[in-house]
Amino acid sequence: MSTQILTYFAVGLSFALYIGIAIWSRAGSTKEFYVAGGGVHPVANGMATAADWMSAASFISMAGIIAFAGYDGSVYLMGWTGGYVLLALLLAPYLRKFGQFTVPDFIGERFYSKTARVVAVLCLIVISFTYIAGQMRGVGVVFSHFLNVPITIGVFIGMAVVFFYAVLGGMKGITYTQVAQYCVLIFAYMVPAIFISILITGNPIPQLGLGSMVADGSGMTVLQKLDTTLVDLGFNPYTLGSKSMVDVFAITLALMVGTAGLPHVIVRFFTVPKVSDARKSAGYALVFIALLYTTAPAVGAFARINFIETVNGATYENAEENGGAPTFFKTFERIGLDTWVDKNDDGVMQYSAGAPFVGKPKFTGELGSHGERLVSNELTANANEVYVDRDIMVLANPEIAKLPGWVIALVAAGGIAAALSTAAGLLLVISASISHDLLKKTFMPSISDKQELLAARGAAIVAISVAGYLGINPPGFVAQVVALAFGLAACSLFPAILMGIFFKGMNKEGAIAGMLAGLAFTISYIVYFKSPWFGAVNTADNWFFGISPEGIGSVGMAINFAVAIAVAKFTKPTPVEVQDLVDDIRIPTGAGVAHQH
């Protein structure tokens, strides 16, 4: 059976499973749609949380970033895992004890203000759409490669599947679908990692393989070989960071506190029966997450070694078995995710430091003398002839290592599962914030349960349409887009949630001013450096204190705290009944019972 047929089978089977679960667990009430009825077992919720949180950025893009950035890629590992611990210990149990449906619900009640609720919805929508752009882009990349369709068509297929089980099943359908997706994605990630670790080092445990000797007789470890190879090609050593310490700290902090402020992850802790179950499900999720996150550095290192060995020095027009360009390279070239520019017209692919041309490839539709796809981009002066998109590395790994077709098919199903699980969770928090927080709790309080459920499904349809557009026209590669979303969460929702739980004196005026100030500053900075409209040079020389757009959320968070505290000092104090509410959330009496307001 061909790899293509196996891929169709694996992806089709996983889709049938997800849709079957959605039909089985169809939501019949707003409580089931928003929080799965509040009756999910902690182990199942831990798996669902892990799938929700480990997005296309974790599955597809993170190992690719580590493969190309080396030591600098560690900020994503430290920030995302550290942030999950922060969320589990500092926020989740208190929010569960509060017992509402959404993050804006908590902010609206705690800060006794419809305006605060609306501002929280605004923050949530900005965060979620920025995040979902990365997921839909990931869906498009996976589909376009494995199913041989354009990225745009891949995004549309992903939209259709997510639409079906998110709109039909709500949180109840999404939760049990995400349990299945976690099983698919972790199996799909670990199997090729184990295979490749054995091939490169002889060690079946990837985490240990990263520190083992390469099985080529060189006597070097994986990291030593990478350092030597990359320096020979003009790159920085793999184990030496190039980012400033300030930027490393800022990105790590933004990712950590951004994780703790992500609405689609926080809402998962509202789906369990008791406060103690929220703590348990957080612990289980951390174990499930650690399986992938401790493997990613090894996957990234192995991918970079294999990529260099198979691409650099290959004669493009020859067949792969005769020293030609590997099959995976030509497959991804067809969809614009890698390409080769023969600068010296020798037919041999030279891979070294520097960009081969300016910008992303713009293909002319013509072929060169060696069969390569020609680009119209202005060429750069350096010797590098190879362009490669970071997002392809995990997907290409099994093909680079010549693993069996069923492993390649499994990775396709896993990549799609990772992207769809997070996309579904994000769609749900967007639809819930619009139907529950804007309509039911703010502008149309008289609507019935049935009308609210209908509005939630309508909002999900609009949200998935916007998500699809952002997936087709993303502002960067997957993990970069996702990192920006974490920065937006760090500067807006996290401070409001933290002060709402631990600072009784924080009033509505302070919280609203803080959220708006943090969000306005961070969005302005990101747009200035990331959008094509301003033409700002996105380099460390021009950044504020050397902090990149990916890390600026940490500064936005500090601004949020400072503005909120300053405004709170000069405005009316928090009402006594709200201060009592804060005490009630924080005191663990009756911790086994969900407190309703």
Side-chain angles (χ1 to χ4, degrees):
M1 196 180 291
S2 71
T3 300
Q4 192 71 54
I5 292 171
L6 282 169
T7 303
Y8 280 121
F9 179 73
V11 172
L13 193 65
S14 65
F15 279 3
L17 175 64
Y18 306 152
I19 291 168
I21 291 171
I23 294 170
W24 164 74
S25 58
R26 181 173 180 176
S29 69
T30 49
K31 189 173 184 184
E32 287 186 339
F33 192 89
Y34 295 145
V35 292
V40 181
H41 190 278
V43 174
N45 198 51
M47 280 191 183
T49 304
D52 207 351
W53 188 72
M54 290 193 297
S55 61
S58 292
F59 188 96
I60 298 172
S61 199
M62 185 173 65
I65 283 185
I66 294 170
F68 287 93
Y71 178 84
D72 285 340
S74 63
V75 295
Y76 294 94
L77 287 169
M78 293 187 297
W80 281 334
T81 46
Y84 186 78
V85 175
L86 185 69
L87 170 64
L89 297 179
L90 197 61
L91 302 183
Y94 303 108
L95 290 172
R96 176 62 192 89
K97 191 178 179 191
F98 186 70
Q100 293 286 349
F101 284 161
T102 66
V103 171
D105 236 356
F106 170 77
I107 289 174
E109 293 288 328
R110 162 60 183 88
F111 295 112
Y112 51 99
S113 167
K114 288 184 178 180
T115 305
R117 186 190 295 271
V118 172
V119 170
V121 170
L122 171 70
C123 296
L124 182 146
I125 289 173
V126 170
I127 294 162
S128 298
F129 276 129
T130 308
Y131 203 153
I132 211 169
Q135 307 318 307
M136 299 314 290
R137 163 73 175 173
V139 170
V141 168
V142 176
F143 272 119
S144 60
H145 173 55
F146 289 109
L147 305 184
N148 283 329
V149 296
I151 286 180
T152 303
I153 301 299
V155 170
F156 282 127
I157 296 170
M159 284 167 62
V161 176
V162 173
F163 166 79
F164 188 87
Y165 72 77
V167 173
L168 183 68
M171 181 56 85
K172 190 176 178 186
I174 286 171
T175 295
Y176 294 108
T177 303
Q178 284 174 337
V179 171
Q181 285 167 329
Y182 175 77
C183 296
V184 171
L185 78 85
I186 201 65
F187 192 63
Y189 202 84
M190 296 303 298
V191 168
I194 291 166
F195 266 117
I196 295 168
S197 184
I198 292 170
L199 287 172
I200 291 180
T201 68
N203 193 321
I205 303 171
Q207 293 89 333
L208 300 179
L210 183 61
S212 301
M213 295 283 185
V214 181
D216 61 357
S218 64
M220 291 189 285
T221 65
V222 170
L223 294 176
Q224 286 172 337
K225 175 157 186 174
L226 263 175
D227 276 349
T228 303
T229 304
L230 290 173
V231 169
D232 288 345
L233 294 174
F235 292 95
N236 289 329
Y238 192 77
T239 55
L240 183 67
S242 60
K243 286 183 180 292
S244 69
M245 189 56 68
V246 171
D247 197 30
V248 168
F249 177 80
I251 294 174
T252 304
L253 181 61
L255 294 176
M256 278 184 70
V257 296
T259 297
L262 283 179
H264 71 291
V265 177
I266 290 172
V267 76
R268 291 243 56 95
F269 297 103
F270 298 151
T271 63
V272 290
K274 298 180 295 186
V275 176
S276 58
D277 289 337
R279 294 183 188 276
K280 286 177 188 173
S281 61
Y284 285 124
L286 199 53
V287 172
F288 296 137
I289 288 166
L291 274 175
L292 189 146
Y293 266 64
T294 56
T295 307
V299 170
F302 298 155
R304 190 74 182 275
I305 287 175
N306 279 334
F307 181 81
I308 292 169
E309 289 183 347
T310 55
V311 170
N312 190 42
T315 306
Y316 189 88
E317 56 197 325
N318 287 356
E320 183 175 6
E321 55 271 22
N322 296 324
T327 304
F328 84 85
F329 191 91
K330 293 183 177 181
T331 304
F332 279 110
E333 187 180 37
R334 281 200 297 271
I335 55 175
L337 294 178
D338 62 28
T339 194
W340 168 62
V341 179
D342 195 10
K343 292 182 177 180
N344 54 7
D345 199 29
D346 64 353
V348 178
M349 301 169 73
Q350 271 95 34
Y351 175 60
S352 57
F357 43 74
V358 178
K360 292 188 175 183
K362 298 169 188 168
F363 295 106
T364 63
E366 299 175 14
L367 297 180
S369 57
H370 304 288
E372 75 276 22
R373 293 184 68 195
L374 296 178
V375 297
S376 59
N377 301 60
E378 178 188 346
L379 302 185
T380 53
N382 61 60
N384 183 33
E385 298 179 340
V386 177
Y387 167 87
V388 57
D389 191 299
R390 303 178 189 198
D391 291 341
I392 75 169
M393 296 312 295
V394 169
L395 303 178
N397 237 346
E399 296 171 67
I400 296 172
K402 296 183 174 56
L403 298 182
W406 66 268
V407 179
I408 295 169
L410 189 63
V411 170
I416 292 168
L420 294 185
S421 61
T422 304
L426 289 162
L427 282 170
L428 190 80
V429 297
I430 292 169
S431 66
S433 66
I434 291 169
S435 62
H436 181 70
D437 293 300
L438 286 188
L439 298 183
K440 179 70 174 177
K441 290 294 186 82
T442 309
F443 299 118
M444 298 170 66
S446 61
I447 60 172
S448 66
D449 198 60
K450 188 175 181 181
Q451 288 172 318
E452 188 182 345
L453 190 58
L454 188 65
R457 289 187 164 129
I461 293 169
V462 175
I464 203 164
S465 303
V466 176
Y469 173 80
L470 292 172
I472 294 165
N473 303 284
F477 56 85
V478 176
Q480 187 182 54
V481 176
V482 170
L484 297 178
F486 278 78
L488 293 170
C491 73
S492 58
L493 294 181
F494 174 78
I497 296 169
L498 189 72
M499 290 186 290
I501 295 170
F502 295 104
F503 183 20
K504 287 195 292 186
M506 181 48 59
N507 60 13
K508 64 180 180 181
E509 292 85 359
I512 293 167
M515 283 190 287
L516 290 174
L519 192 65
F521 169 79
T522 307
I523 288 178
S524 301
Y525 193 91
I526 290 170
V527 168
Y528 182 68
F529 284 111
K530 289 289 187 182
S531 76
W533 308 320
F534 292 98
V537 180
N538 191 15
T539 63
D541 293 336
N542 295 323
W543 294 337
F544 178 66
F545 287 126
I547 298 173
S548 64
E550 287 77 20
I552 201 64
S554 54
V555 179
M557 177 191 67
I559 290 171
N560 185 327
F561 277 121
V563 169
I565 292 167
V567 171
K569 277 187 175 296
F570 296 102
T571 48
K572 289 181 181 178
T574 310
V576 174
E577 62 271 19
V578 175
Q579 295 191 35
D580 291 341
L581 169 64
V582 175
D583 282 334
D584 188 46
I585 295 170
R586 286 167 47 191
I587 296 168
T589 51
V593 182
H595 190 81
Q596 296 291 337
H597 295 284

